[in-house]
Amino acid sequence: MKETFYAGVYWPARRESAEECARRAETFFRLLSRADPIYAHWFEQANSLKKALQLQFEPTYETFLRFFKSRKYNEGSFGFSFSAWTGHKEDGHGGMVLLGCGSAVAPPPNSCVLDLPSDGPEEQRVLSAPVLTEVLRALVLAWEPDWGGVISHAYQDIRNEPAGHPRTGWLMYFPPHRGSLPPLPRPVRVKPVEGQGSLVILTPERFSVDNPAHVALADEVRALLDKAGVLKEPGAYTRA
């Protein structure tokens, strides 16, 4: 079975208004559009392909504010939920965003998840460390999450990591309040995000569970991060 990936960020209860979530959404889509051309056009989700293709929107602050103030996307104390897709008709060639923002309810549904291409030239372009670094950077700068990463579904299937804790990804993000990262083995790279912590990139080439060296590296990095206390569940550390 072909290995597929998603990019996602997650954060605990944080009440935010429609205006605040709209500002964050505009920032995310603007930064994401710079990562690859497939993220230049967006459509609302609908019950049919024909209807969805009639729902193209410009990802501006005003658009998201209108969405989040509508009954369709406003979930009261659970904040705002929204989904969009890139309009690619071919399976696996585009992507979809699933967003939950502004919830102060615990456990909160606050997250932003991007399904990544799994076929075609889009897959070849996007599933590379440089592009995914920009994708994850866009997620981090917009949403200021508690953790995030670019995750292999296959690795998650074989490791079944506990819910609520940071997952081991091809790329991972950790904010400053999680503490200092320990020394990590080669070829792992750590890149700072402007005032928002660090990205950890396991391998410069595409991560694969079919590569025993990749799996061993992921397991080793996971153990080192856990020992350093970086993977504590929300509430187990003091925020800066």
Side-chain angles (χ1 to χ4, degrees):
M1 183 177 293
K2 189 168 188 176
E3 190 166 4
T4 57
F5 298 82
Y6 67 94
V9 291
Y10 307 83
W11 60 100
R14 187 172 71 199
R15 185 182 299 280
E16 292 183 297
S17 66
E19 289 81 3
E20 289 168 317
C21 288
R23 176 182 58 80
R24 290 184 183 276
E26 187 278 331
T27 298
F28 168 59
F29 281 87
R30 173 171 46 82
L31 294 176
L32 183 63
S33 69
R34 301 173 185 174
D36 189 84
I38 69 167
Y39 301 127
H41 304 287
W42 291 95
F43 300 78
E44 291 181 75
Q45 293 284 297
N47 294 328
S48 69
L49 174 64
K50 182 178 179 180
K51 184 176 181 180
L53 288 173
Q54 297 172 356
L55 298 176
Q56 185 171 4
F57 66 90
E58 291 296 322
T60 64
Y61 170 82
E62 291 76 16
T63 298
F64 289 119
L65 185 59
R66 174 169 53 85
F67 286 160
F68 296 156
K69 287 193 171 184
S70 71
R71 294 180 62 182
K72 181 177 180 181
Y73 298 120
N74 189 326
E75 299 190 346
S77 60
F78 288 94
F80 310 94
S81 65
F82 179 71
S83 60
W85 68 303
T86 57
H88 290 77
K89 299 178 184 179
E90 306 91 345
D91 288 343
H93 285 240
M96 180 172 65
V97 167
L98 298 173
L99 167 64
C101 175
S103 173
V105 178
N110 292 322
S111 64
C112 185
V113 177
L114 173 66
D115 285 340
L116 297 169
S118 58
D119 203 359
E122 296 86 357
E123 175 197 16
Q124 300 303 316
R125 292 198 317 268
V126 174
L127 293 189
S128 66
V131 173
L132 293 177
T133 296
E134 292 307 306
V135 168
L136 189 52
R137 178 177 170 274
L139 286 161
V140 168
L141 292 176
W143 302 109
E144 298 180 277
D146 186 66
W147 65 274
V150 175
I151 313 295
S152 159
H153 289 101
Y155 183 82
Q156 288 304 301
D157 287 343
I158 65 174
R159 287 297 175 262
N160 192 26
E161 295 175 313
H165 293 255
R167 295 174 181 168
T168 307
W170 176 8
L171 285 76
M172 292 168 280
Y173 162 72
F174 302 103
H177 63 251
R178 282 191 168 272
S180 300
L181 297 178
L184 298 172
R186 293 183 179 180
V188 179
R189 290 187 297 139
V190 176
K191 295 190 66 173
V193 183
E194 300 93 306
Q196 298 292 330
S198 301
L199 302 184
V200 175
I201 306 167
L202 286 186
T203 63
E205 70 276 9
R206 186 188 300 192
F207 178 88
S208 175
V209 294
D210 292 331
N211 186 330
H214 285 182
V215 175
L217 178 64
D219 291 346
E220 181 182 3
V221 168
R222 174 83 188 185
L224 290 169
L225 293 172
D226 192 28
K227 184 177 180 181
V230 177
L231 305 183
K232 292 176 182 178
E233 63 181 323
Y237 48 79
T238 301
R239 289 186 177 274

